[in-house]
Amino acid sequence: MEDMTKKNTDTDVNGAAGTGMPLIGDKAPAFRSMTTMGKCNFPEDYSGKWVVFFSHPADFTPVCTTEFIALGRRAEEFKAINTELLGLSIDSLHSHLAWAESIEHIDLGGKGKIVLPFPIVADVSMKVAKLYGMLQTVASTQTVRAVFIIDPESIIRAILFYPMSTGRNIDEIKRIVLSLQKHDEENISTPADWNPGDDVVLGAPLTLDTARGRLADPDEKLKKYSWYLTMKQDD
């Protein structure tokens, strides 16, 4: 007799598409693949850099095209903060190349044409998409709009998932990278709607003495709203 308990457990763990999904704090799953810029050995090829790894439902789709153009226009901004862009969709390398070439002829919004400055992973087998849980429904062979922000130690630090109908906000992706970098450098957190230059949040005190000391701290840069909520001016 079939073990239905085991079957149900597998479904719960692996999700609707029958694949697992890495979580924040996990090591980024490794893979080797061809891309529009040659072979990729991930994450080794990106050691020491932040990576924005993002998926698309398919090549030659309109929303994806706008995202590629938007990211291409701002690729240098990401490079300036030690961040590389890496795309993926479940299509062949030749399809990727044709799509990238077609994008070069599009002047979206009258802002000028671009040549895509980042690679696109070829994933016809869906191996990489399954490694990262990018397939969200059993019936679909298209990835959702997933974003994995991966740090220089190859640890996944943030995950964003969008439905196929909604284009991503590039400002928000960059803001998350900057927030994570600031946290790592200064051991602070960033509040709601934070942007570079805004006030940052100090960690909550873990002892009564620390809480009292913070409330009594004369530092004029501190903004003490409560014993557990203290913000300070960004330097």
Side-chain angles (χ1 to χ4, degrees), residues 15-201:
T19 60
M21 176 179 169
L23 303 176
I24 291 174
D26 286 350
K27 194 81 171 180
F31 62 87
R32 294 183 180 183
S33 180
M34 289 299 297
T35 79
T36 51
M37 293 183 175
K39 295 180 181 178
C40 176
N41 185 12
F42 190 86
E44 285 83 354
D45 290 349
Y46 293 86
S47 178
K49 296 182 180 294
W50 290 79
V51 180
V52 174
F53 182 33
F54 55 97
S55 66
H56 291 267
D59 292 353
F60 297 102
T61 49
V63 176
C64 300
T65 299
T66 66
E67 291 180 322
F68 265 49
I69 293 172
L71 283 164
R73 285 174 174 165
R74 302 184 64 178
E76 288 303 317
E77 293 181 31
F78 284 93
K79 282 186 178 294
I81 57 172
N82 193 36
T83 303
E84 299 293 330
L85 303 174
L86 178 63
L88 173 146
S89 76
I90 300 174
D91 271 305
S92 69
L93 180 61
H94 290 98
S95 177
H96 287 351
L97 291 171
W99 185 26
E101 196 278 334
S102 75
I103 287 174
E104 294 179 14
H105 301 284
I106 299 173
D107 183 1
L108 188 64
K111 297 180 180 180
K113 301 174 184 178
I114 67 160
V115 175
L116 288 181
F118 52 80
I120 312 170
V121 173
D123 192 33
V124 174
S125 69
M126 300 185 286
K127 178 181 178 180
V128 180
K130 290 177 180 178
L131 274 177
Y132 280 82
M134 294 170 173
L135 298 170
Q136 293 283 296
T137 62
V138 173
S140 178
T141 57
Q142 295 180 323
T143 62
V144 294
R145 300 184 193 285
V147 180
F148 290 84
I149 296 176
I150 301 165
D151 72 16
E153 303 299 321
S154 304
I155 302 299
I156 294 172
R157 300 291 297 277
I159 302 172
L160 305 172
F161 274 75
Y162 296 72
M164 289 190 287
S165 59
T166 303
R168 283 163 280 208
N169 186 306
I170 311 307
D171 285 332
E172 174 62 5
I173 294 172
K174 182 180 177 183
R175 189 187 80 95
I176 293 171
V177 175
L178 290 170
S179 172
L180 291 168
Q181 291 177 343
K182 194 166 190 65
H183 168 77
D184 290 357
E185 292 166 3
E186 302 178 22
N187 194 30
I188 53 81
S189 298
T190 55
D193 298 327
W194 175 86
N195 280 294
D198 292 346
D199 292 346
V200 296
V201 178

